Amino acid sequence: MERLQSIPKAWIYVILLVVLAGPLLKPIGIPIQISDEVRTSFNAIDSLAPGSIVVFGFDYAPGSAAEMEPQALAILEHLAEKQVKVIGISFQAQGPQMAEKAFANTAWAEKEYGVDYINLGYRAGGQAAVAAFASDIPGTFSTDYSGKPSTSFPIMQGIKTAADIDMIITIAPGQPGPEDYVRQVYGTYRTRIIAGVPAVAITQVAPYVQAGQIEGILGGLPGAAEYELLVEKPGTAVAAMDAQSLAHLLIIILIILRNIPNFFGAKQAHAQSVSNSTQKGRGGRS
Amino acid sequence: MKTTLPVAIMTVIALIIILDFFVADAPSVQWIKQSGLVLRSWGIVISAFAMGLGAVNLLRRHVVTISRRESGAFYSVLLVGSMLIMIVVGIGAGQDSPVYDFLFSNILSPASATMYASIAFYIVTAAYRSFSAKSLESWVLLLTAVVVMLGKAPIGAAISGFFPVAADWIQNIPNTAGMRAIMMGAALGVVSNAVKMFLGLDRTYLGLRD
Amino acid sequence: MSLDMGIWVAGLVTLAILSHVWKENPFYRIAEHLYVGISAGHAVVMAWGNIRDTAVKPLAEEGQLVWIIPIVLGVLLYARYFKGVAWIARFPVAVMVGIGTGVAVRGAIHGDFVQQISATIRVGSVNDILLLVFVAASLSYFFFSRTIKGPVAAIPQLGRVVLMVAFGAAFGTTVMGRMALLIGRIQFVLGDWLGVMK
């Protein structure tokens, strides 16, 4: 037992790598259940009529792409099937490059730029920029990613404020994030919002979901995997789920190993105090 | 003047933007709405200039290291060189250029992704060495974490249908309650901090100590 | 195994950054400094794009002279680097902080306070009642101005337990997220680079 509690750091790292790489090389195939929150998001997007205008916030950077990109790709595939129009925006400096990559690697590559979809690029300013966007979209994004005037594209005709948008889908790990869209857009325009968030942010956006300010969320890589299954295009997220499951089991086992002394220590302390009080009762020493 | 005027400017601008949200669409107050629109778009331009401050700070520090040939000068050359290449190519040839795309996709992207990914190693060693429960509350925290970890991954449903249901309930009820309390407290904090700034009691944003 | 030079560079950068977990070394420092330099350069390029498209184009091509004001304010930010005139940088900072504060206050009042309260006081099911009780208990925990004694003290204690559950959930999802990021890198190394993953 003592040896189990003094495993060297190097061995822990090796075990972690084996636990993660093993299922990627030889999948186990643990079934993936679809959660209510992802199904709600799917149904919300599925309710969009052809020709609806969707603003897609590519608010993630390469640092979080492992979790966020699969979400973006799965949702974009769904939007392509629904034949909606997608306006890509970013409030994160590395977002436009993520948008270009996402459009190129999905069914949007076959659609017409400027008519079916557009990449409006990045605007600095964080929450203030989101507020500016909500009240004046062509003024805030006066050009597209390549520098051409945004109003010259057919997809932008008639788009003035967030009131002219049917849904905002934001894939955002940090600031600005879904909370900023809620504060600056939903408060005034009641625009429907779907948010793809990293696992660390699930607990933070839960109050907004319960309040109805965010209609649905995808949480982390499992959320992406479930959405991939719903759109019937399993990808990297589904492939990663066995590794994700085993990683969680590993952490739980390590936490149990760490807490065994506490548990047995508590039992021993309790047994000792019972023994002491029994001896006192017999007039023995305490 | 050097401190009072900036505080006054900040206060007036903030109040215009706050009022813009609450005033109706009446002609007499259209100037507030128009001013709010203009100010928010100005904020984008000024924020963009502010983004350059980071690059200037880096240049100042690393150019000194290079000119004095201090330890680490080689790395500073790499940093300054790669920064200047990105700026010249990005502004000159555009972000679509092969060089820019290569540096972004094959150095920046994997480096950024790996930096964040390496935290997983520290979490694992922390779980093994530090996540120790010694009180009732810490046991509650750890047990909740275990249930959520099992419930949010496919393994939980494979072990028992209890875990996904429990994880969802934890997320939607007690977690929402706790986070909502924190959020509401933070919202009150934002408002009270703003009032302090309007009254000139907090001027740290100007680089001044109160 | 990939023969693409870009993938090889990305793979080597990945290993160089990961090597830091074991020990600080020159390969890590090279990758780190390249990353910082390229990130900073990219930020400058994106910033220039914003300034050009939002202010310079309307000013130069459409004669909208009002854009001179934010451009001048932005340039004045750099006065901080010159002794004697560094105080001038307070003006653009004041404008930015004013805009940010205004936007934050209006968003906080409506989105984080009013709508959260109205979402809490709906009572339609047992879970709704539990949510109301838990929110009230958690809020009561943050009343530090007076020591609460007697039977009423059970309420902030309940709030403390609720907050522990929230933090436990946050911890569980944090672990989930960090593992996902590492899985992503391993997928790249085994799949895109070495080609051993199906």
Side-chain angles (χ1 to χ4, degrees), chain A residues 189-278:
Chain A
Y189 300 97
R190 293 288 194 264
T191 310
R192 300 168 78 185
I193 299 175
I194 299 288
V197 298
V200 301
I202 292 172
T203 54
Q204 290 159 34
V205 298
Y208 296 108
V209 179
Q210 192 276 334
Q213 294 160 304
I214 295 177
E215 198 167 334
I217 61 169
L218 271 67
L221 206 51
E226 292 167 30
Y227 211 94
E228 283 178 359
L229 290 179
L230 284 171
V231 297
E232 295 170 3
K233 288 188 164 71
T236 50
V238 168
M241 280 301 99
D242 288 340
Q244 181 92 58
S245 290
L246 293 193
H248 289 196
L249 273 184
L250 173 65
I251 295 287
I252 291 168
I253 289 168
L254 291 174
I255 290 174
I256 291 171
L257 283 177
R258 178 67 190 88
N259 284 283
I260 285 173
N262 295 344
F263 184 68
F264 283 115
K267 271 191 153 183
Q268 277 174 1
H270 178 71
Q272 184 68 37
S273 84
V274 166
S275 164
N276 289 344
S277 57
T278 308

Side-chain angles (χ1 to χ4, degrees), chain B residues 36-84:
Chain B
L37 267 176
V38 167
L39 285 167
R40 286 193 292 272
S41 59
W42 286 5
I44 292 172
V45 177
I46 304 173
S47 298
F49 273 100
M51 286 169 73
L53 290 173
V56 170
N57 284 340
L58 278 172
L59 269 176
R60 277 158 58 101
R61 186 188 167 302
H62 287 275
V63 163
V64 166
T65 305
I66 294 168
S67 61
R68 290 184 190 166
R69 310 233 163 130
E70 289 172 3
S71 148
F74 166 70
Y75 302 113
S76 293
V77 168
L78 287 178
L79 190 150
V80 172
S82 58
M83 188 197 313
L84 292 176

